[in-house]
Every structure is written in structure tokens, then in C-alpha cells.
Amino acid sequence: MNKIETIRENLSASNKRSITMCDIMKSDEKFNGEHLSSFKPTTITELTKIIQSALSKHCELDPMPTYLLKSCSNELLPAMTNIVNCSLSESLVSSSFKQAIVRPLLKKPSLDREVFKNYRPVSNLPFLSKVLEKLVSSRLEHHVESNNLHENLQSAYRARHSTETALLRVHHGIVSALDKNSCVILLMLDLSAAFDVIDHKILLERLNYSFGVSDSALSWIESYLKDRTQRVAIGTKQSDDLCLQYGVPQGSVLGPKLYCMYSKPVGEICRRHKMLYHSYADDTQAYQVIKPEGDWDDLSDRLKACLSQISDWMTSNMLKLNQDKTELIVFALKHRVKQLSKYELPFDGTILSDANYVRNLGVFFDKTLTMEHQVTAVSKSCYHQIRTIGNIRSYITENACKTLVCSLVTSRLDYGNALLYNVNSSTIARLQRVQNTAARLIPRKRKFDSITLVLMQLHWLPVQYRSHFKLLLYVFKALHDNAPKYLEELIVPYAPIRTLRSENKGLITKPRDVRTKTYVERRFDRAGATLWNDLPIHLRKEQSLPRFKKGLKTHIFGLAYCDV
């Protein structure tokens, strides 16, 4: 609470003049469509679907465990439907739905447990309040989608979007530039307590002005934000309730969506300065392509102007841009790295120096995108998990061990593996050794026993082929309107200028603007086309995602173990 008050006091002091709501909204586009004036009531059928699909988690504020509520849902649904519909019709959120218990979670296991800032304040909320939030969120999402109000390059909390799709798009832009002998300057912007400092008055004004939320619907959101309370729980001890005057609760359903709507103008500022941009919630990255022989002084001026305007916008909107944690990296070809390693960018009293690598949404990007640092980090983390499981292997069954390995090791190998396509074979070999070690642990094989048959029995694809599988899955989704627009626009179905036998074979166009094989083959459009066009025609013609995944796994499994 003290941190939030300090941030707001400093931001208020930074505003050299009195800022009106007109000043704050000058970067926003006014909504001109049909307003969302009320939230339509729910039905027992809709509520049943939401409750049964929800996780069976509960917190101390719930009157009964969630699993018990689900088992008694037929008896309770009429009353719950009435409660929800009364809230929507009267634009009123019950005070019992606005209570939260915060159990601080350490951001990383390696951080000091005695330092408060290393904890993330995740709110535990009553189950029924989350059900109500999901209903409002679905109606708000329908309004935003229908009026095309989303920031296209904001990948957080949206269907078909994820951190991996965001990484694929940014990675594609960087390797495309490197293939053309250009450099890329990437800025990773860091915000302090972004969710907790949101100003409710500005948020409500933006929802009305830019998103067309008005009347009863806007009053419901105002009630949702007003007079929220939270208490902190550590072990069995709990603090007194404190009233929250700012922010949206972390851990809620509606809070993250409201933050994304609140911060939408940042993308428009980047476009105004001709900066490429991508964001995942409050993780914002802006990047710019430049030729090595280009005017770097002019680029620095444009970067400073863009950063200055973003900083001014955030200050006026009561968001704190953390200059000390904002990172800068210059991507370049290997023979140019040393020439550009001293690049520095002055920013608001600090100097942003060129880093050797940055962590972008959980994946490490080094200066030449070799992915060596990422592979090192993944290997270290996986081996730690393997040793931990190995310590208890004699006390658990083979199936239990397989479950642990899949959740703690394989998941780490698979995250972001689409970015590893066509990297150095020795880099992939390091991850393959990790997978082999994990596979030996399950049937308790010795170090020098053959691993191929073990992998086949587990039905695991080798690391290289897992990367192929992930890429082809995104290509399929892009072709069937099940991927973000920023990936769909990169995949172009093949359409010859004259009638050819190949036009009905489900092929996609392979980009021809090739300069270097090292980087061009790693572009999403090029890599996707290469792998897709090599698939059997029955897979390219498949329309069902579950059937495609099953057929693709069978096909790649045959390729991976064709010599056995």
C-alpha cells in the first residue's frame, strides 16, 4: 500500500502542470459505434457451463469448497442465477464479492525471501465472484471483438493468443531484418506495479470514450472497482482489511482485461513514431530496424522522442515507467556485433546500455539469436528437476514418474521451442541430451543403455521434431482462422496466376526474398511453408484440429524413427 501511494505521489509531482481529462484522452481514438449500455442477463445453461468448466479451487472466503458446489449445482443454480442477474440489472457488485485475501508469492525461487518487493500480491477471490466476472468479461469481449477495438499487437488474455505467439511474431521480425543485413534495436519497457496503480477515474473515462461502455454497463464496472478490500495472509495469520482506492486485483478474471484496455494508447504512440511494437499485458517491447550504415543519430533521436512520449503518457495516466529496469539490446550479424556493442541511449536521466542478452516473456534472446543462452537456461532448470525427481524415484510408480517428468521437464523443453527451428545442430543436441536423461529416469535405465527404444515406448518425439510439430500446429491454426491476425497475415495459401494441378493441393506460398540461409529459414513464414508443403496431402487438407494433431504426430513419429 505504501509503495502504491509513493508511486502516485511521485507521479503527481512529476506533472508540471494541472492535467485535465481532455489532456489524458488526447492519444485515444473516440468510439463511434453502438455503445455497450448494459450487460444482458445470464441463463442457467450458460452459468452451468461456466461453473463446470472452472477449476475446483477455492479460498478461505468461500462458504463451501468448489468441488462440493459443483456436485450440488443443480440445487444451487437457480439461486446463483438470480444473484448474478440481480447484480447485472442493478449495476451493483456485492461487497462480499469485492473482498480478497492476498497470499504473497515469490516471483522467482532464487530471490531473497526477506525483501518485500520480490513478492507478487496475487488476490484470492470468492468463487462466485469469479463466475460473475467471467460473465461480464465474455460480454465485454464480444463488444470489443464486434467493434474491432482490440490492440492487434496485445497478446494477453485473448483467445488464440499466448506468450508463444507473441514471441513468434517478434522473433520473425528480428530474423527477417538480420537476413537483410540490418540491425534491430529492441527496448524492453518495465512498469512498476502496473495493475495496482490504475486510476479508476481515468479507466472509466477511457472505457466510455474509447470503448463505448456506458450507462448501466459502466455503472456496474464502477461498482466493481469501488470499495474493494483486501487482507494479507501468511500461514494462519491474517491482517486487517484495507480499502483499495486504485488498481485492479491480480488473480481476478476482469482485472487483466481492464488493464489491457487502459494501456491501449501505448501502441498508437509507437506507431506514430514508426516503431514496431508488441505487448503482453504490462510487458511492452518496442523495436526498430536500421541498416548498419544508417543514420544512428537520427534513430537515437526518434527512440528518445518515442520513449519520452510514452513516459509522458504513462505519467499523466498514473503509470510508473521504471527506467532502471528498462532494457536495450541491439541484434546484428556476428561480424557486426563488436562494432555496435557500445550503443547507448540516454533516457530520462539514465543511460540504457546495449545488453548481451534479454529475457523476453521467459525466453532469452542473445545478440545474434543463436539461442545458446536460452538452451543453457532450459538445460540447467531441467537437470535440476530431473535430480529432484531422481531422489524420490524409488518411492513412486513408473506412471507417477512419467507424470512428474512431463509436467516439470518436458513442459520446459517445449516452451518456446518453435523458435529453435533450424538453429545450430549442436545447440539442439544439448536439449536432446536433457530429454534422453529424463526418459531414462522413467523406466530406470542406465546411462549408456540405448535411448531410442525408450523414447519410442514413451511415444516422445525428439527435440528437433517437437519444434517441427509446434510450428506446423501454428501454421494449421493460421490457415483456419484460429491464430492471431499477426500470424495469419504471414501465411499465404498458394494461388498460381494460371490454372495448375498444384492449386488444389493445399500448399502455401514460400517467400523468395532470401539473402542468408542462416536466418531466412528461421522466419515463421519461410519455416512454416517449408514444413507444411512437405506434409502428405491428406494432412494439408484436414479441417479438424484434433484429427490434424493426431495425424501430424503419427507422421512426424514415423519420420523421427524411420531407421529403427
Side-chain angles (χ1 to χ4, degrees):
M1 300 293 287
N2 292 338
K3 178 181 179 180
I4 303 307
E5 290 293 343
T6 301
I7 289 174
R8 290 185 61 88
E9 287 175 7
N10 292 337
L11 290 173
S12 298
S14 298
N15 290 325
K16 298 178 181 179
R17 60 184 179 85
S18 178
I19 295 180
T20 65
M21 197 59 69
C22 291
D23 295 327
I24 293 172
M25 293 296 151
K26 66 181 180 182
S27 295
D28 294 65
E29 293 184 9
K30 185 174 176 59
F31 178 76
N32 293 317
E34 182 179 351
H35 281 235
L36 176 64
S37 57
S38 63
F39 296 123
K40 69 175 184 179
T42 187
T43 62
I44 289 181
T45 303
E46 183 183 20
L47 208 60
T48 302
K49 186 177 179 181
I50 291 175
I51 290 173
Q52 295 302 329
S53 63
L55 297 175
S56 296
K57 296 193 297 185
H58 64 277
C59 75
E60 297 95 320
L61 297 170
D62 285 315
M64 68 170 69
T66 302
Y67 74 86
L68 183 58
L69 184 146
K70 287 184 176 181
S71 65
C72 303
S73 59
N74 290 336
E75 291 76 14
L76 297 173
L77 270 168
M80 288 191 290
T81 305
N82 186 46
I83 291 170
V84 169
N85 284 336
C86 281
S87 173
L88 297 179
S89 62
E90 296 178 14
S91 301
L92 186 66
V93 180
S94 169
S95 59
S96 62
F97 286 1
K98 296 190 284 187
Q99 297 175 336
I101 292 182
V102 175
R103 289 196 173 272
L105 299 178
L106 200 63
K107 294 178 180 179
K108 298 177 186 177
S110 59
L111 296 177
D112 187 351
R113 292 178 175 273
E114 300 300 320
V115 180
F116 291 160
K117 69 179 182 180
N118 292 338
Y119 287 89
R120 193 182 306 280
V122 176
S123 299
N124 294 281
L125 302 165
F127 178 76
L128 191 53
S129 73
K130 286 192 172 184
V131 172
L132 176 59
E133 286 186 58
K134 284 184 179 180
L135 284 165
V136 172
S137 178
S138 66
R139 284 145 177 72
L140 200 57
E141 179 67 20
H142 180 265
H143 171 73
V144 172
E145 286 276 1
S146 301
N147 292 279
N148 195 26
L149 297 174
H150 273 303
E151 167 55 59
N152 288 333
L153 297 177
Q154 168 63 267
S155 295
Y157 313 108
R158 295 174 61 187
R160 306 185 300 274
H161 295 65
S162 68
T163 53
E164 285 196 297
T165 60
L167 286 167
L168 263 178
R169 188 63 182 89
V170 174
H171 180 268
H172 170 86
I174 296 172
V175 294
S176 298
L178 294 179
D179 174 64
K180 296 173 183 176
N181 197 30
S182 296
C183 302
V184 179
I185 296 180
L186 174 67
L187 285 166
M188 308 281 294
L189 306 182
D190 182 84
L191 277 71
S192 295
F195 283 37
D196 299 314
V197 297
I198 289 177
D199 187 282
H200 295 169
K201 183 179 179 181
I202 297 175
L203 172 59
L204 293 170
E205 182 68 25
R206 179 158 290 125
L207 289 174
N208 180 254
Y209 183 85
S210 301
F211 292 90
V213 181
S214 61
D215 301 334
S216 174
L218 190 66
S219 297
W220 187 96
I221 295 176
E222 183 178 8
S223 176
Y224 168 81
L225 296 169
K226 188 178 180 181
D227 297 329
R228 298 196 72 91
T229 62
Q230 72 178 25
R231 70 184 81 142
V232 177
I234 300 176
T236 58
K237 304 293 184 181
Q238 295 189 7
S239 71
D240 296 330
D241 284 337
L242 291 171
C243 186
L244 299 177
Q245 299 181 32
Y246 319 106
V248 292
Q250 294 189 47
S252 65
V253 176
L254 202 53
K257 185 181 293 291
L258 293 176
Y259 172 81
C260 292
M261 299 169 80
Y262 187 85
S263 60
K264 182 183 176 183
V266 175
E268 181 56 38
I269 293 172
C270 290
R271 282 188 287 271
R272 196 180 303 153
H273 289 270
K274 298 181 180 179
M275 291 281 291
L276 299 171
Y277 155 88
H278 210 107
S279 186
Y280 191 90
D282 59 332
D283 289 316
T284 303
Q285 45 194 306
Y287 53 106
Q288 183 64 56
V289 178
I290 184 173
K291 289 283 186 182
E293 63 274 10
D295 189 344
W296 286 75
D297 290 335
D298 176 66
L299 176 65
S300 295
D301 291 340
R302 288 195 290 117
L303 287 174
K304 285 188 284 187
C306 181
L307 278 175
S308 177
Q309 190 165 351
I310 290 175
S311 181
D312 291 343
W313 180 89
M314 288 188 172
T315 299
S316 62
N317 283 266
M318 305 308 289
L319 292 174
K320 169 65 174 173
L321 183 59
N322 194 340
Q323 292 91 346
D324 294 336
K325 292 186 178 180
T326 295
E327 295 180 283
L328 179 148
I329 186 171
V330 179
F331 298 100
L333 298 178
K334 287 184 178 179
H335 66 278
R336 296 191 183 276
V337 167
K338 290 184 179 180
Q339 304 172 16
L340 305 172
S341 60
K342 295 183 179 179
Y343 182 78
E344 294 181 338
L345 182 68
F347 172 44
D348 202 13
T350 62
I351 300 294
L352 301 180
S353 300
D354 183 16
N356 292 322
Y357 59 86
V358 293
R359 187 172 185 178
N360 189 357
L361 300 177
V363 173
F364 288 98
F365 283 7
D366 54 75
K367 295 178 69 64
T368 56
L369 280 187
T370 62
M371 306 306 287
E372 286 287 344
H373 198 88
Q374 167 66 6
V375 170
T376 298
V378 171
S379 300
K380 182 179 178 181
S381 176
C382 287
Y383 278 128
H384 171 74
Q385 299 297 335
I386 291 170
R387 285 192 297 271
T388 304
I389 299 170
N391 291 335
I392 62 169
R393 177 63 187 91
S394 58
Y395 304 104
I396 59 177
T397 64
E398 186 171 310
N399 283 337
C401 182
K402 183 178 179 180
T403 301
L404 285 173
V405 169
C406 288
S407 61
L408 298 176
V409 179
T410 307
S411 60
R412 286 174 164 82
L413 291 174
D414 285 346
Y415 180 68
N417 62 348
L419 308 181
L420 301 176
Y421 177 78
N422 211 43
V423 299
N424 195 296
S425 58
S426 62
T427 303
I428 293 293
R430 292 171 60 195
L431 291 180
Q432 187 59 54
R433 286 194 289 272
V434 175
Q435 188 189 47
N436 293 348
T437 305
R440 286 192 178 96
L441 183 62
I442 296 171
R444 307 181 77 173
K445 294 289 185 180
R446 292 177 299 179
K447 182 176 181 180
F448 296 104
D449 288 345
S450 175
I451 193 62
T452 304
L453 291 177
V454 175
L455 292 174
M456 291 182 67
Q457 289 168 0
L458 293 170
H459 217 258
W460 286 3
L461 293 173
V463 170
Q464 177 183 353
Y465 290 95
R466 297 176 89 89
S467 173
H468 296 183
F469 182 88
K470 182 74 72 66
L471 273 171
L472 286 167
L473 202 56
Y474 281 123
V475 172
F476 178 88
K477 290 180 178 181
L479 288 170
H480 294 82
D481 297 324
N482 198 24
K485 289 182 180 179
Y486 54 74
L487 290 185
E488 289 180 357
E489 65 189 19
L490 300 177
I491 302 298
V492 182
Y494 176 63
I497 56 177
R498 62 181 185 278
T499 303
L500 298 173
R501 284 178 294 178
S502 59
E503 65 181 330
N504 296 318
K505 291 186 177 181
L507 301 173
I508 58 179
T509 304
K510 191 173 183 178
R512 298 185 180 277
D513 51 336
V514 178
R515 182 183 172 275
T516 65
K517 188 174 182 180
T518 304
Y519 289 108
V520 75
E521 297 297 336
R522 296 173 60 187
R523 286 170 41 174
F524 176 68
D525 54 359
R526 177 95 177 177
T530 300
L531 293 172
W532 182 265
N533 293 342
D534 287 339
L535 288 178
I537 189 169
H538 72 276
L539 283 177
R540 297 200 300 266
K541 291 287 189 176
E542 183 59 69
Q543 299 296 312
S544 167
L545 179 58
R547 288 199 299 268
F548 176 79
K549 289 174 71 174
K550 184 177 180 180
L552 180 62
K553 176 75 177 287
T554 302
H555 171 70
I556 296 180
F557 194 85
L559 293 177
Y561 300 109
C562 61
D563 296 331
V564 179

